[in-house]
Amino acid sequence: MGSELDNWIEQLRECRPISEAQVKKLCHLARDILAEESNVQNVYAPVSLCGDIHGQFYDLLELFRLFGDVPRTNYLFMGDFVDRGFYSVETFLLLLALKVRYPDRVHLIRGNHESRQITQVYGFYDECIRKFGNVNVWRYCTEVFDYIALSALIENKIFSVHGGLSPSIRTIDQIRIIDRKQEVPHDGPMCDLLWSDPEEIEGWNTSPRGAGYLFGGVIVQNFNETNNITQITRAHQLVMEGYRSMFNGGCITVWSAPNYCHRCGNVGAVLEFDEHLNPTYETFDAAPNEVCTLPFMTLSVLSYCSL
């Protein structure tokens, strides 16, 4: 199996999708591995944390080039692998193949875009049909989405999640008992983990996204103290500088899609924790144009990038 996986990884690194039959087999292998993982996956340092990728395949390759390839570097990807970019298929399948090949060196957290409903609006569904001629690959991948962990705990001290906190969740142990093997609900604790955002407010507020909540510094402080953790790391929001620290370092946002949608002008970032959990913030620019092959941008494609 190792040699076959290595062949798939090599092909995907060249931005060439594997066959529909191979996708089906890969998704089955990945689902078996992910099904054994907890809702709160334990991760050991040193580890490099990545935010949203959003189908920006060549920027993912640039990230690997700059900060270390798998398996040399231990990675935690905090969700939103697909949609909006031009290469969601290749991006997600490469990460999935690396997860299967090196399950202890690649860790995946589910984002709000790892959803059947959202991917039918923001590009992944259409991309699968365009590249494979039917919906089968989209179905195989969205079945895998249901098995991806909801969060991670790094050395029992740093809590990682795609979106944020929930008024329904006081302790990390409450996350462990959620039934995650389903489509992302429209509300409730699982939805909140994938959709919520930090904001400079006192407590909770409704989110302008229409799902999840806004949560303030007191909420973060209480959650961190209750669970004996030092900070929350998350993705989900475009940050022009690549990362943002809020609430005296209690909540860190990491964004890993530079020049988002090929027009926003932001840098990407990776947050590296060494074996002692000392953080280093690394930023990077989008992959050089000469190494990228971009389809013709239409207005409808750019509309996927609305924030």
Side-chain angles (χ1 to χ4, degrees), residues 157-200:
K157 282 298 178 183
I158 298 169
F159 176 69
S160 298
V161 68
H162 177 71
L165 301 180
S166 170
S168 303
I169 295 173
R170 183 173 176 270
T171 68
I172 291 174
D173 283 342
Q174 290 176 281
I175 301 173
R176 301 183 195 277
I177 61 174
I178 294 173
D179 178 12
R180 77 173 187 267
K181 297 179 179 67
Q182 57 175 310
E183 172 67 349
V184 180
H186 294 289
D187 54 26
M190 178 172 166
C191 170
D192 298 341
L193 292 170
L194 275 58
W195 280 93
S196 293
D197 297 296
E199 185 59 79
E200 295 292 349

Side-chain angles (χ1 to χ4, degrees), residues 122-137:
Y122 290 102
F124 183 52
Y125 176 86
D126 293 333
E127 183 183 330
C128 289
I129 291 178
R130 186 171 67 251
K131 291 179 176 177
F132 291 93
N134 58 59
V135 301
N136 292 340
V137 164

Side-chain angles (χ1 to χ4, degrees), residues 158-292:
I158 298 169
F159 176 69
S160 298
V161 68
H162 177 71
L165 301 180
S166 170
S168 303
I169 295 173
R170 183 173 176 270
T171 68
I172 291 174
D173 283 342
Q174 290 176 281
I175 301 173
R176 301 183 195 277
I177 61 174
I178 294 173
D179 178 12
R180 77 173 187 267
K181 297 179 179 67
Q182 57 175 310
E183 172 67 349
V184 180
H186 294 289
D187 54 26
M190 178 172 166
C191 170
D192 298 341
L193 292 170
L194 275 58
W195 280 93
S196 293
D197 297 296
E199 185 59 79
E200 295 292 349
I201 57 176
E202 287 298 316
W204 298 98
N205 209 337
T206 56
S207 172
R209 295 181 186 268
Y213 289 86
L214 301 178
F215 56 94
V218 172
I219 302 299
V220 168
Q221 181 180 350
N222 290 342
F223 184 85
N224 290 355
E225 289 178 354
T226 298
N227 293 281
N228 192 30
I229 60 174
T230 58
Q231 62 189 177
I232 299 163
T233 61
R234 41 93 63 181
H236 195 42
Q237 286 179 297
L238 170 63
V239 182
M240 295 301 293
E241 301 82 11
Y243 66 92
R244 177 185 295 138
S245 175
M246 298 179 69
F247 315 133
N248 297 315
C251 182
I252 310 293
T253 299
V254 181
W255 182 268
S256 302
N259 194 25
Y260 182 42
C261 293
H262 308 285
R263 68 172 185 176
C264 287
N266 61 288
V267 298
V270 171
L271 172 53
E272 300 175 343
F273 288 104
D274 68 15
E275 61 270 24
H276 304 295
L277 297 183
N278 297 311
T280 301
Y281 297 92
E282 302 281 4
T283 60
F284 66 106
D285 293 319
N289 289 334
E290 56 266 26
V291 304
C292 301

